[in-house]
Amino acid sequence: MKVDHETGQTLISGMGELHLEIIVDRLLREFKVDANVGKPQVAYKETIRREVEQEGKFVRQTGGRGQFGHVWLRVGPLPPRSGFQFEDAVRGGVIPANTSRPSKRGRKQPTTAFSRATPMVDVKGTRFDGS
């Protein structure tokens, strides 16, 4: 059992639909709990299985000097229940210091960068080169 503070719901978990039915039946019959019971839902999550390296470029011409960004990322799996980690392994001033704020903003919600359907878990991203 856990409480979802965003929705105010008390959620129960079980090993399957029959297990959940037994718990709900006991709540209603033995403990006289007035519960709204919904259809069981599965919270899907995604992860990756192997390490990959990828180059990304951002180019926008705005009439003046324009904007340009170039980065090399290494994304790899982590052990289960590790969450998301980001490491900035760029050394020697290759990437300008003024890119640190946008980079931090992108790390706060890493799951949206990799997958839009379901949250990504147990992933480590490393920025190792760029300009």
Short mmCIF file of all heavy atoms in Angstrom, two decimals, residues 6-69:
data_model
loop_
_atom_site.label_atom_id
_atom_site.label_comp_id
_atom_site.label_asym_id
_atom_site.label_seq_id
_atom_site.Cartn_x
_atom_site.Cartn_y
_atom_site.Cartn_z
N GLU A 6 0.07 13.18 -5.21
CA GLU A 6 -0.43 14.03 -6.29
C GLU A 6 -1.93 13.90 -6.46
O GLU A 6 -2.63 14.88 -6.68
CB GLU A 6 0.27 13.69 -7.61
CG GLU A 6 1.72 14.08 -7.64
CD GLU A 6 2.38 13.74 -8.96
OE1 GLU A 6 1.67 13.34 -9.91
OE2 GLU A 6 3.61 13.88 -9.05
N THR A 7 -2.45 12.67 -6.34
CA THR A 7 -3.88 12.44 -6.55
C THR A 7 -4.65 12.25 -5.24
O THR A 7 -5.87 12.29 -5.23
CB THR A 7 -4.11 11.19 -7.42
OG1 THR A 7 -3.60 10.04 -6.73
CG2 THR A 7 -3.43 11.34 -8.76
N GLY A 8 -3.93 12.01 -4.14
CA GLY A 8 -4.60 11.77 -2.86
C GLY A 8 -5.15 10.37 -2.74
O GLY A 8 -5.89 10.07 -1.80
N GLN A 9 -4.82 9.49 -3.65
CA GLN A 9 -5.33 8.12 -3.63
C GLN A 9 -4.43 7.22 -2.80
O GLN A 9 -3.22 7.41 -2.74
CB GLN A 9 -5.40 7.55 -5.05
CG GLN A 9 -6.37 8.26 -5.94
CD GLN A 9 -6.33 7.69 -7.36
OE1 GLN A 9 -5.26 7.34 -7.85
NE2 GLN A 9 -7.48 7.61 -7.99
N THR A 10 -5.05 6.22 -2.17
CA THR A 10 -4.31 5.16 -1.52
C THR A 10 -4.30 3.99 -2.49
O THR A 10 -5.36 3.48 -2.88
CB THR A 10 -4.97 4.75 -0.19
OG1 THR A 10 -5.02 5.89 0.65
CG2 THR A 10 -4.17 3.65 0.49
N LEU A 11 -3.13 3.57 -2.89
CA LEU A 11 -3.00 2.52 -3.91
C LEU A 11 -2.54 1.23 -3.26
O LEU A 11 -1.66 1.23 -2.40
CB LEU A 11 -1.98 2.95 -4.97
CG LEU A 11 -2.24 4.30 -5.63
CD1 LEU A 11 -1.07 4.67 -6.52
CD2 LEU A 11 -3.52 4.26 -6.43
N ILE A 12 -3.15 0.12 -3.70
CA ILE A 12 -2.70 -1.19 -3.23
C ILE A 12 -2.06 -1.91 -4.40
O ILE A 12 -2.44 -1.73 -5.54
CB ILE A 12 -3.85 -2.02 -2.62
CG1 ILE A 12 -4.99 -2.23 -3.62
CG2 ILE A 12 -4.37 -1.38 -1.36
CD1 ILE A 12 -6.06 -3.18 -3.14
N SER A 13 -1.06 -2.70 -4.08
CA SER A 13 -0.36 -3.48 -5.10
C SER A 13 -0.50 -4.95 -4.76
O SER A 13 -0.62 -5.31 -3.59
CB SER A 13 1.12 -3.09 -5.14
OG SER A 13 1.26 -1.73 -5.39
N GLY A 14 -0.43 -5.78 -5.77
CA GLY A 14 -0.53 -7.21 -5.55
C GLY A 14 0.18 -7.99 -6.62
O GLY A 14 0.75 -7.43 -7.56
N MET A 15 0.16 -9.30 -6.46
CA MET A 15 0.85 -10.20 -7.38
C MET A 15 0.03 -10.49 -8.63
O MET A 15 0.51 -11.12 -9.55
CB MET A 15 1.17 -11.51 -6.67
CG MET A 15 2.07 -11.34 -5.48
SD MET A 15 3.75 -10.94 -5.95
CE MET A 15 4.29 -12.53 -6.51
N GLY A 16 -1.20 -10.06 -8.66
CA GLY A 16 -2.06 -10.31 -9.80
C GLY A 16 -3.47 -9.86 -9.50
O GLY A 16 -3.79 -9.36 -8.41
N GLU A 17 -4.36 -10.05 -10.46
CA GLU A 17 -5.73 -9.58 -10.31
C GLU A 17 -6.48 -10.32 -9.20
O GLU A 17 -7.23 -9.72 -8.43
CB GLU A 17 -6.47 -9.73 -11.64
CG GLU A 17 -7.69 -8.86 -11.71
CD GLU A 17 -8.25 -8.76 -13.12
OE1 GLU A 17 -7.56 -9.11 -14.08
OE2 GLU A 17 -9.40 -8.31 -13.23
N LEU A 18 -6.26 -11.63 -9.05
CA LEU A 18 -6.92 -12.39 -7.99
C LEU A 18 -6.46 -11.91 -6.62
O LEU A 18 -7.29 -11.74 -5.70
CB LEU A 18 -6.63 -13.89 -8.15
CG LEU A 18 -7.24 -14.80 -7.09
CD1 LEU A 18 -8.77 -14.71 -7.12
CD2 LEU A 18 -6.79 -16.24 -7.28
N HIS A 19 -5.20 -11.66 -6.46
CA HIS A 19 -4.67 -11.16 -5.20
C HIS A 19 -5.32 -9.83 -4.84
O HIS A 19 -5.71 -9.59 -3.68
CB HIS A 19 -3.15 -11.02 -5.32
CG HIS A 19 -2.45 -10.78 -4.02
ND1 HIS A 19 -1.35 -9.98 -3.94
CD2 HIS A 19 -2.69 -11.23 -2.77
CE1 HIS A 19 -0.95 -9.95 -2.67
NE2 HIS A 19 -1.75 -10.70 -1.96
N LEU A 20 -5.46 -8.94 -5.81
CA LEU A 20 -6.10 -7.65 -5.58
C LEU A 20 -7.58 -7.81 -5.22
O LEU A 20 -8.09 -7.11 -4.35
CB LEU A 20 -5.95 -6.75 -6.80
CG LEU A 20 -4.53 -6.29 -7.13
CD1 LEU A 20 -4.51 -5.54 -8.44
CD2 LEU A 20 -3.97 -5.44 -6.01
N GLU A 21 -8.26 -8.73 -5.88
CA GLU A 21 -9.67 -8.98 -5.58
C GLU A 21 -9.86 -9.44 -4.14
O GLU A 21 -10.80 -9.02 -3.46
CB GLU A 21 -10.26 -10.02 -6.54
CG GLU A 21 -10.50 -9.49 -7.93
CD GLU A 21 -11.00 -10.56 -8.87
OE1 GLU A 21 -11.43 -11.65 -8.40
OE2 GLU A 21 -10.98 -10.33 -10.10
N ILE A 22 -8.98 -10.29 -3.65
CA ILE A 22 -9.06 -10.77 -2.27
C ILE A 22 -8.84 -9.62 -1.29
O ILE A 22 -9.57 -9.48 -0.30
CB ILE A 22 -8.05 -11.92 -2.03
CG1 ILE A 22 -8.46 -13.15 -2.85
CG2 ILE A 22 -7.94 -12.25 -0.55
CD1 ILE A 22 -7.41 -14.23 -2.90
N ILE A 23 -7.87 -8.78 -1.55
CA ILE A 23 -7.59 -7.64 -0.67
C ILE A 23 -8.79 -6.69 -0.64
O ILE A 23 -9.23 -6.26 0.44
CB ILE A 23 -6.32 -6.89 -1.13
CG1 ILE A 23 -5.08 -7.78 -0.92
CG2 ILE A 23 -6.16 -5.57 -0.37
CD1 ILE A 23 -3.83 -7.21 -1.55
N VAL A 24 -9.37 -6.39 -1.80
CA VAL A 24 -10.52 -5.49 -1.86
C VAL A 24 -11.71 -6.10 -1.15
O VAL A 24 -12.43 -5.42 -0.40
CB VAL A 24 -10.86 -5.15 -3.33
CG1 VAL A 24 -12.20 -4.45 -3.43
CG2 VAL A 24 -9.76 -4.30 -3.94
N ASP A 25 -11.94 -7.40 -1.33
CA ASP A 25 -13.06 -8.08 -0.67
C ASP A 25 -12.91 -7.99 0.85
O ASP A 25 -13.89 -7.72 1.55
CB ASP A 25 -13.11 -9.54 -1.12
CG ASP A 25 -14.27 -10.28 -0.47
OD1 ASP A 25 -15.42 -9.83 -0.64
OD2 ASP A 25 -14.00 -11.28 0.23
N ARG A 26 -11.71 -8.21 1.35
CA ARG A 26 -11.49 -8.12 2.80
C ARG A 26 -11.69 -6.69 3.31
O ARG A 26 -12.25 -6.48 4.38
CB ARG A 26 -10.08 -8.59 3.15
CG ARG A 26 -9.93 -10.11 3.01
CD ARG A 26 -8.65 -10.60 3.62
NE ARG A 26 -8.64 -10.35 5.06
CZ ARG A 26 -7.54 -10.23 5.78
NH1 ARG A 26 -6.35 -10.31 5.20
NH2 ARG A 26 -7.59 -10.01 7.06
N LEU A 27 -11.24 -5.70 2.54
CA LEU A 27 -11.45 -4.31 2.94
C LEU A 27 -12.94 -3.99 3.06
O LEU A 27 -13.37 -3.35 4.03
CB LEU A 27 -10.80 -3.35 1.93
CG LEU A 27 -9.30 -3.18 2.00
CD1 LEU A 27 -8.80 -2.37 0.81
CD2 LEU A 27 -8.90 -2.50 3.29
N LEU A 28 -13.72 -4.42 2.07
CA LEU A 28 -15.15 -4.14 2.06
C LEU A 28 -15.90 -4.95 3.11
O LEU A 28 -16.76 -4.41 3.83
CB LEU A 28 -15.73 -4.41 0.67
CG LEU A 28 -15.18 -3.56 -0.47
CD1 LEU A 28 -15.71 -4.05 -1.80
CD2 LEU A 28 -15.52 -2.10 -0.27
N ARG A 29 -15.61 -6.24 3.23
CA ARG A 29 -16.37 -7.14 4.09
C ARG A 29 -15.93 -7.09 5.55
O ARG A 29 -16.76 -6.87 6.44
CB ARG A 29 -16.23 -8.57 3.55
CG ARG A 29 -17.07 -9.61 4.24
CD ARG A 29 -16.96 -10.98 3.57
NE ARG A 29 -15.64 -11.31 3.06
CZ ARG A 29 -14.63 -11.80 3.77
NH1 ARG A 29 -14.78 -12.02 5.05
NH2 ARG A 29 -13.48 -12.08 3.21
N GLU A 30 -14.66 -7.26 5.82
CA GLU A 30 -14.17 -7.35 7.19
C GLU A 30 -14.00 -5.99 7.86
O GLU A 30 -14.34 -5.82 9.03
CB GLU A 30 -12.83 -8.09 7.25
CG GLU A 30 -12.93 -9.58 6.96
CD GLU A 30 -11.57 -10.25 7.02
OE1 GLU A 30 -10.70 -9.78 7.81
OE2 GLU A 30 -11.37 -11.22 6.27
N PHE A 31 -13.45 -5.04 7.12
CA PHE A 31 -13.11 -3.76 7.73
C PHE A 31 -14.13 -2.66 7.44
O PHE A 31 -13.98 -1.54 7.91
CB PHE A 31 -11.71 -3.33 7.28
CG PHE A 31 -10.65 -4.33 7.63
CD1 PHE A 31 -10.07 -5.13 6.65
CD2 PHE A 31 -10.23 -4.48 8.94
CE1 PHE A 31 -9.09 -6.06 6.97
CE2 PHE A 31 -9.24 -5.40 9.27
CZ PHE A 31 -8.68 -6.20 8.28
N LYS A 32 -15.14 -2.97 6.63
CA LYS A 32 -16.22 -2.03 6.31
C LYS A 32 -15.68 -0.69 5.75
O LYS A 32 -16.15 0.38 6.10
CB LYS A 32 -17.06 -1.73 7.55
CG LYS A 32 -17.59 -2.94 8.28
CD LYS A 32 -18.78 -3.52 7.57
CE LYS A 32 -19.48 -4.56 8.46
NZ LYS A 32 -19.12 -5.91 8.14
N VAL A 33 -14.68 -0.80 4.89
CA VAL A 33 -14.09 0.37 4.26
C VAL A 33 -14.89 0.69 3.00
O VAL A 33 -15.11 -0.18 2.16
CB VAL A 33 -12.60 0.12 3.90
CG1 VAL A 33 -12.03 1.26 3.08
CG2 VAL A 33 -11.80 -0.10 5.15
N ASP A 34 -15.34 1.92 2.90
CA ASP A 34 -16.07 2.35 1.71
C ASP A 34 -15.05 2.77 0.65
O ASP A 34 -14.53 3.90 0.69
CB ASP A 34 -17.00 3.51 2.06
CG ASP A 34 -17.88 3.91 0.88
OD1 ASP A 34 -18.14 3.06 0.01
OD2 ASP A 34 -18.27 5.08 0.82
N ALA A 35 -14.71 1.87 -0.24
CA ALA A 35 -13.64 2.11 -1.21
C ALA A 35 -14.19 2.20 -2.62
O ALA A 35 -15.10 1.45 -2.99
CB ALA A 35 -12.61 0.99 -1.13
N ASN A 36 -13.66 3.13 -3.39
CA ASN A 36 -13.93 3.19 -4.82
C ASN A 36 -12.87 2.34 -5.51
O ASN A 36 -11.69 2.69 -5.47
CB ASN A 36 -13.87 4.63 -5.34
CG ASN A 36 -14.95 5.49 -4.76
OD1 ASN A 36 -16.01 5.00 -4.42
ND2 ASN A 36 -14.66 6.76 -4.63
N VAL A 37 -13.30 1.27 -6.11
CA VAL A 37 -12.35 0.34 -6.73
C VAL A 37 -12.40 0.51 -8.23
O VAL A 37 -13.45 0.42 -8.85
CB VAL A 37 -12.69 -1.12 -6.33
CG1 VAL A 37 -11.70 -2.07 -6.97
CG2 VAL A 37 -12.72 -1.27 -4.83
N GLY A 38 -11.24 0.79 -8.80
CA GLY A 38 -11.14 0.95 -10.25
C GLY A 38 -10.49 -0.26 -10.89
O GLY A 38 -10.07 -1.20 -10.20
N LYS A 39 -10.43 -0.23 -12.18
CA LYS A 39 -9.80 -1.30 -12.94
C LYS A 39 -8.30 -1.31 -12.62
O LYS A 39 -7.67 -0.26 -12.55
CB LYS A 39 -10.02 -1.03 -14.43
CG LYS A 39 -9.52 -2.11 -15.34
CD LYS A 39 -9.86 -1.75 -16.78
CE LYS A 39 -9.26 -2.77 -17.72
NZ LYS A 39 -9.47 -2.38 -19.13
N PRO A 40 -7.70 -2.50 -12.43
CA PRO A 40 -6.25 -2.54 -12.15
C PRO A 40 -5.46 -1.91 -13.30
O PRO A 40 -5.79 -2.07 -14.47
CB PRO A 40 -5.94 -4.03 -12.06
CG PRO A 40 -7.23 -4.68 -11.76
CD PRO A 40 -8.29 -3.83 -12.40
N GLN A 41 -4.41 -1.17 -12.93
CA GLN A 41 -3.58 -0.51 -13.93
C GLN A 41 -2.14 -0.92 -13.73
O GLN A 41 -1.70 -1.13 -12.60
CB GLN A 41 -3.70 1.00 -13.79
CG GLN A 41 -5.09 1.52 -14.05
CD GLN A 41 -5.18 3.02 -13.84
OE1 GLN A 41 -4.25 3.64 -13.35
NE2 GLN A 41 -6.29 3.60 -14.23
N VAL A 42 -1.42 -1.00 -14.83
CA VAL A 42 -0.01 -1.35 -14.79
C VAL A 42 0.79 -0.11 -15.16
O VAL A 42 0.51 0.54 -16.16
CB VAL A 42 0.30 -2.50 -15.79
CG1 VAL A 42 1.78 -2.81 -15.81
CG2 VAL A 42 -0.51 -3.73 -15.44
N ALA A 43 1.77 0.23 -14.33
CA ALA A 43 2.63 1.37 -14.61
C ALA A 43 3.84 0.87 -15.41
O ALA A 43 4.75 0.26 -14.86
CB ALA A 43 3.09 2.02 -13.31
N TYR A 44 3.82 1.12 -16.70
CA TYR A 44 4.91 0.68 -17.56
C TYR A 44 6.08 1.63 -17.46
O TYR A 44 5.91 2.84 -17.33
CB TYR A 44 4.44 0.59 -19.01
CG TYR A 44 3.44 -0.50 -19.25
CD1 TYR A 44 2.09 -0.23 -19.34
CD2 TYR A 44 3.87 -1.82 -19.38
CE1 TYR A 44 1.17 -1.23 -19.54
CE2 TYR A 44 2.95 -2.84 -19.59
CZ TYR A 44 1.61 -2.53 -19.68
OH TYR A 44 0.70 -3.53 -19.88
N LYS A 45 7.28 1.08 -17.52
CA LYS A 45 8.51 1.86 -17.53
C LYS A 45 9.45 1.24 -18.55
O LYS A 45 9.35 0.06 -18.85
CB LYS A 45 9.16 1.85 -16.15
CG LYS A 45 8.30 2.53 -15.11
CD LYS A 45 8.92 2.47 -13.76
CE LYS A 45 7.99 3.11 -12.75
NZ LYS A 45 8.39 2.89 -11.40
N GLU A 46 10.36 2.05 -19.06
CA GLU A 46 11.31 1.57 -20.06
C GLU A 46 12.73 1.74 -19.54
O GLU A 46 13.01 2.58 -18.70
CB GLU A 46 11.18 2.37 -21.36
CG GLU A 46 9.87 2.17 -22.08
CD GLU A 46 9.86 2.93 -23.39
OE1 GLU A 46 10.75 2.67 -24.22
OE2 GLU A 46 8.99 3.77 -23.58
N THR A 47 13.62 0.93 -20.08
CA THR A 47 15.05 1.08 -19.83
C THR A 47 15.79 0.64 -21.08
O THR A 47 15.17 0.24 -22.07
CB THR A 47 15.50 0.29 -18.58
OG1 THR A 47 16.81 0.69 -18.24
CG2 THR A 47 15.44 -1.21 -18.82
N ILE A 48 17.09 0.71 -21.06
CA ILE A 48 17.89 0.26 -22.20
C ILE A 48 18.77 -0.90 -21.75
O ILE A 48 19.03 -1.06 -20.57
CB ILE A 48 18.72 1.40 -22.80
CG1 ILE A 48 19.66 1.99 -21.76
CG2 ILE A 48 17.82 2.48 -23.37
CD1 ILE A 48 20.59 3.04 -22.32
N ARG A 49 19.23 -1.68 -22.71
CA ARG A 49 20.00 -2.88 -22.38
C ARG A 49 21.49 -2.77 -22.66
O ARG A 49 22.28 -3.52 -22.13
CB ARG A 49 19.46 -4.08 -23.16
CG ARG A 49 18.06 -4.43 -22.73
CD ARG A 49 17.56 -5.59 -23.56
NE ARG A 49 16.18 -5.87 -23.22
CZ ARG A 49 15.77 -7.03 -22.78
NH1 ARG A 49 16.58 -8.02 -22.65
NH2 ARG A 49 14.50 -7.20 -22.50
N ARG A 50 21.88 -1.86 -23.55
CA ARG A 50 23.31 -1.75 -23.85
C ARG A 50 23.70 -0.29 -24.01
O ARG A 50 22.86 0.57 -24.24
CB ARG A 50 23.67 -2.54 -25.11
CG ARG A 50 23.01 -2.05 -26.36
CD ARG A 50 23.35 -2.96 -27.54
NE ARG A 50 22.56 -2.57 -28.70
CZ ARG A 50 22.94 -1.70 -29.59
NH1 ARG A 50 24.12 -1.13 -29.52
NH2 ARG A 50 22.17 -1.39 -30.61
N GLU A 51 24.99 -0.05 -23.90
CA GLU A 51 25.52 1.31 -23.98
C GLU A 51 25.63 1.75 -25.44
O GLU A 51 26.04 0.97 -26.30
CB GLU A 51 26.88 1.37 -23.30
CG GLU A 51 27.45 2.76 -23.20
CD GLU A 51 28.71 2.78 -22.38
OE1 GLU A 51 28.58 2.84 -21.14
OE2 GLU A 51 29.79 2.73 -22.97
N VAL A 52 25.27 3.00 -25.70
CA VAL A 52 25.40 3.57 -27.04
C VAL A 52 26.00 4.97 -26.94
O VAL A 52 25.90 5.63 -25.91
CB VAL A 52 24.04 3.64 -27.78
CG1 VAL A 52 23.48 2.27 -28.04
CG2 VAL A 52 23.05 4.49 -27.02
N GLU A 53 26.63 5.39 -28.02
CA GLU A 53 27.14 6.75 -28.13
C GLU A 53 26.43 7.42 -29.29
O GLU A 53 26.21 6.79 -30.33
CB GLU A 53 28.65 6.75 -28.37
CG GLU A 53 29.44 6.30 -27.18
CD GLU A 53 30.94 6.37 -27.40
OE1 GLU A 53 31.37 6.78 -28.50
OE2 GLU A 53 31.68 6.03 -26.47
N GLN A 54 26.08 8.70 -29.09
CA GLN A 54 25.34 9.41 -30.12
C GLN A 54 25.77 10.86 -30.16
O GLN A 54 26.01 11.48 -29.14
CB GLN A 54 23.83 9.33 -29.84
CG GLN A 54 22.96 9.92 -30.92
CD GLN A 54 23.03 9.15 -32.22
OE1 GLN A 54 23.02 7.93 -32.23
NE2 GLN A 54 23.13 9.85 -33.32
N GLU A 55 25.84 11.39 -31.37
CA GLU A 55 26.18 12.80 -31.57
C GLU A 55 24.90 13.58 -31.79
O GLU A 55 23.98 13.13 -32.48
CB GLU A 55 27.08 12.93 -32.80
CG GLU A 55 27.46 14.35 -33.13
CD GLU A 55 28.30 14.41 -34.40
OE1 GLU A 55 28.18 13.51 -35.24
OE2 GLU A 55 29.07 15.37 -34.53
N GLY A 56 24.80 14.76 -31.18
CA GLY A 56 23.63 15.61 -31.37
C GLY A 56 24.07 17.02 -31.74
O GLY A 56 25.05 17.53 -31.22
N LYS A 57 23.32 17.63 -32.66
CA LYS A 57 23.62 19.00 -33.07
C LYS A 57 22.34 19.82 -33.01
O LYS A 57 21.26 19.33 -33.33
CB LYS A 57 24.17 19.03 -34.49
CG LYS A 57 25.54 18.44 -34.62
CD LYS A 57 26.08 18.59 -36.02
CE LYS A 57 27.46 17.95 -36.13
NZ LYS A 57 27.98 18.03 -37.48
N PHE A 58 22.50 21.07 -32.60
CA PHE A 58 21.41 22.03 -32.58
C PHE A 58 21.87 23.23 -33.37
O PHE A 58 22.86 23.88 -33.03
CB PHE A 58 21.08 22.43 -31.13
CG PHE A 58 20.04 23.50 -31.04
CD1 PHE A 58 18.69 23.19 -31.15
CD2 PHE A 58 20.41 24.82 -30.85
CE1 PHE A 58 17.72 24.17 -31.06
CE2 PHE A 58 19.44 25.82 -30.76
CZ PHE A 58 18.10 25.49 -30.86
N VAL A 59 21.16 23.53 -34.46
CA VAL A 59 21.53 24.66 -35.31
C VAL A 59 20.26 25.48 -35.56
O VAL A 59 19.26 24.94 -36.05
CB VAL A 59 22.12 24.20 -36.66
CG1 VAL A 59 22.48 25.39 -37.53
CG2 VAL A 59 23.32 23.31 -36.44
N ARG A 60 20.32 26.77 -35.22
CA ARG A 60 19.17 27.65 -35.47
C ARG A 60 19.70 28.99 -35.95
O ARG A 60 20.45 29.66 -35.26
CB ARG A 60 18.34 27.84 -34.21
CG ARG A 60 17.13 28.73 -34.46
CD ARG A 60 16.25 28.88 -33.25
NE ARG A 60 15.64 27.59 -32.96
CZ ARG A 60 15.08 27.29 -31.79
NH1 ARG A 60 15.09 28.17 -30.82
NH2 ARG A 60 14.54 26.12 -31.59
N GLN A 61 19.28 29.37 -37.14
CA GLN A 61 19.67 30.66 -37.70
C GLN A 61 18.56 31.65 -37.40
O GLN A 61 17.43 31.46 -37.83
CB GLN A 61 19.91 30.53 -39.21
CG GLN A 61 20.64 31.70 -39.80
CD GLN A 61 22.06 31.82 -39.25
OE1 GLN A 61 22.71 30.84 -38.92
NE2 GLN A 61 22.53 33.04 -39.15
N THR A 62 18.88 32.70 -36.65
CA THR A 62 17.86 33.65 -36.22
C THR A 62 18.05 35.03 -36.83
O THR A 62 17.55 36.01 -36.31
CB THR A 62 17.88 33.78 -34.68
OG1 THR A 62 19.19 34.18 -34.28
CG2 THR A 62 17.50 32.48 -34.02
N GLY A 63 18.75 35.12 -37.93
CA GLY A 63 18.97 36.40 -38.59
C GLY A 63 20.28 37.03 -38.21
O GLY A 63 20.91 37.69 -39.01
N GLY A 64 20.73 36.83 -37.01
CA GLY A 64 22.00 37.38 -36.56
C GLY A 64 23.07 36.31 -36.62
O GLY A 64 23.25 35.61 -37.62
N ARG A 65 23.73 36.16 -35.51
CA ARG A 65 24.81 35.18 -35.41
C ARG A 65 24.28 33.75 -35.37
O ARG A 65 24.95 32.81 -35.76
CB ARG A 65 25.60 35.50 -34.14
CG ARG A 65 26.91 34.84 -34.10
CD ARG A 65 27.76 35.40 -33.00
NE ARG A 65 28.79 34.44 -32.72
CZ ARG A 65 29.28 34.18 -31.54
NH1 ARG A 65 28.85 34.85 -30.50
NH2 ARG A 65 30.21 33.29 -31.38
N GLY A 66 23.06 33.55 -34.86
CA GLY A 66 22.47 32.22 -34.79
C GLY A 66 22.87 31.46 -33.54
O GLY A 66 23.62 31.97 -32.70
N GLN A 67 22.38 30.27 -33.42
CA GLN A 67 22.69 29.42 -32.29
C GLN A 67 23.21 28.08 -32.79
O GLN A 67 22.72 27.55 -33.78
CB GLN A 67 21.43 29.18 -31.44
CG GLN A 67 20.85 30.45 -30.87
CD GLN A 67 19.51 30.21 -30.20
OE1 GLN A 67 18.83 29.23 -30.47
NE2 GLN A 67 19.13 31.11 -29.31
N PHE A 68 24.19 27.56 -32.07
CA PHE A 68 24.79 26.29 -32.47
C PHE A 68 25.18 25.52 -31.22
O PHE A 68 25.72 26.07 -30.26
CB PHE A 68 26.03 26.52 -33.33
CG PHE A 68 26.75 25.26 -33.69
CD1 PHE A 68 26.28 24.44 -34.69
CD2 PHE A 68 27.90 24.88 -33.01
CE1 PHE A 68 26.94 23.27 -35.02
CE2 PHE A 68 28.57 23.71 -33.33
CZ PHE A 68 28.08 22.90 -34.34
N GLY A 69 24.89 24.25 -31.21
CA GLY A 69 25.31 23.37 -30.12
C GLY A 69 25.69 22.02 -30.69
O GLY A 69 25.07 21.51 -31.62
#
